[in-house]
Amino acid sequence: MAPIPGSGLAKGLAVTLRTMTKKTVTAQYPDVQPDLPPRTRGVIGLFEENCTVCMLCARECPDWCIYIDSHKETIPATTPGGRERSRNVLDRFAIDFSLCMYCGICIEVCPFDALFWSPEFEYAETDIRDLTHERDKLREWMWTVPAPPALDPGAEEPKEIAAARKTAEKLAAQQAQQAQQAQQAQQVEQAQQAQPDTEPLADEQARAAEQPGRAVGDSAQQTDRPRQEGQP
């Protein structure tokens, strides 16, 4: 059966009319930022304080797009006769995003949680050589990393948190015990300071008990002297 002339135009107009009655879903980018998923793989942020320059991320990167430079510093001994120690100091940490394929292997293998996914995606450059971002830029992206999802309420407490909580409780118990011992020592000291004031009265009461005719508070000089005539 031959197609009816103008049927294709009618179908196209019908699709246009149906679309005109629907609400638009066009995102007015860049005036309106898109609503990205919380764990979007945009760029990689660097938390420099956690990096120990172990080079594990650079070795495991399949594209060899991570560049790290460092030097060693000697830390003097903290105690007399102690041994000096050396540590690696990070000089350069750069990622070439023109080579990166966003596999996330560097983030997974980092043993000290120094690399994180950031949802930031606006880092286009006019020159491909400018896509190699240094650690200062990577650190700026670190502050855009979203917070991790909440743990399951029925999940087991992480070992790190449990160990930190036990240490804090032990330290608090030691401080409370020290405060109690200091309070007891203060009470004993106060009792010892007040004890000499009561000793003369106790001695006087003991002497009065040995001499029934002598009143408490009278001195030996007054009670023991011979009576004169005419005195009671």
Side-chain angles (χ1 to χ4, degrees):
M1 181 178 179
I4 301 174
S7 60
L9 179 60
K11 291 180 180 180
L13 292 174
V15 172
T16 302
L17 291 174
R18 287 197 303 269
T19 305
M20 290 175 60
T21 58
K22 294 180 180 179
K23 184 179 179 180
T24 179
V25 293
T26 303
Q28 301 299 325
Y29 179 82
D31 297 331
V32 179
Q33 294 293 325
D35 187 12
L36 300 175
R39 307 306 296 174
T40 300
R41 294 189 176 189
V43 290
I44 299 174
L46 171 66
F47 192 59
E48 187 177 340
E49 285 76 4
N50 287 357
C51 182
T52 60
V53 200
C54 64
M55 304 294 292
L56 193 58
C57 56
R59 289 197 301 265
E60 296 296 331
C61 178
D63 291 333
W64 292 87
C65 63
I66 301 178
Y67 310 107
I68 300 176
D69 293 331
S70 65
H71 69 277
K72 288 186 176 294
E73 284 187 356
T74 302
I75 303 176
T78 57
T79 57
R83 182 173 59 89
E84 295 182 349
R85 303 181 62 184
S86 62
R87 66 185 181 99
N88 293 323
V89 179
L90 184 65
D91 293 330
R92 185 194 182 199
F93 194 107
I95 299 178
D96 187 355
F97 285 99
S98 65
L99 298 177
C100 179
M101 64 180 184
Y102 305 93
C103 62
I105 293 178
C106 57
I107 298 176
E108 296 295 332
V109 300
C110 181
F112 299 103
D113 293 334
L115 299 174
F116 296 87
W117 279 118
S118 168
E120 184 68 32
F121 63 93
E122 295 176 328
Y123 57 96
E125 301 289 348
T126 57
D127 191 347
I128 192 174
R129 292 172 294 183
D130 295 334
L131 286 175
T132 301
H133 295 288
E134 300 293 334
R135 65 177 181 176
D136 295 336
K137 188 65 176 179
L138 300 180
R139 185 179 181 85
E140 292 180 5
W141 285 330
M142 180 63 205
W143 311 127
T144 62
V145 174
L151 297 176
D152 187 353
E156 183 180 356
E157 186 180 22
K159 296 181 179 179
E160 295 82 359
I161 298 179
R165 179 175 51 79
K166 291 180 180 179
T167 303
E169 291 177 354
K170 183 178 180 180
L171 181 60
Q174 291 178 354
Q175 292 177 351
Q177 184 178 3
Q178 292 176 358
Q180 184 178 5
Q181 293 177 355
Q183 185 178 4
Q184 293 177 354
Q186 185 178 5
Q187 293 176 354
V188 171
E189 184 178 358
Q190 293 177 354
Q192 290 177 354
Q193 291 177 355
Q195 185 176 2
D197 299 336
T198 59
E199 285 182 355
L201 181 59
D203 295 342
E204 190 174 351
Q205 291 177 351
R207 289 195 297 269
E210 295 175 358
Q211 301 177 4
R214 172 183 162 189
V216 177
D218 294 340
S219 62
Q221 183 178 2
Q222 294 175 349
T223 57
D224 296 341
R225 65 183 181 180
R227 295 180 180 179
Q228 298 179 0
E229 295 180 1
Q231 291 185 351

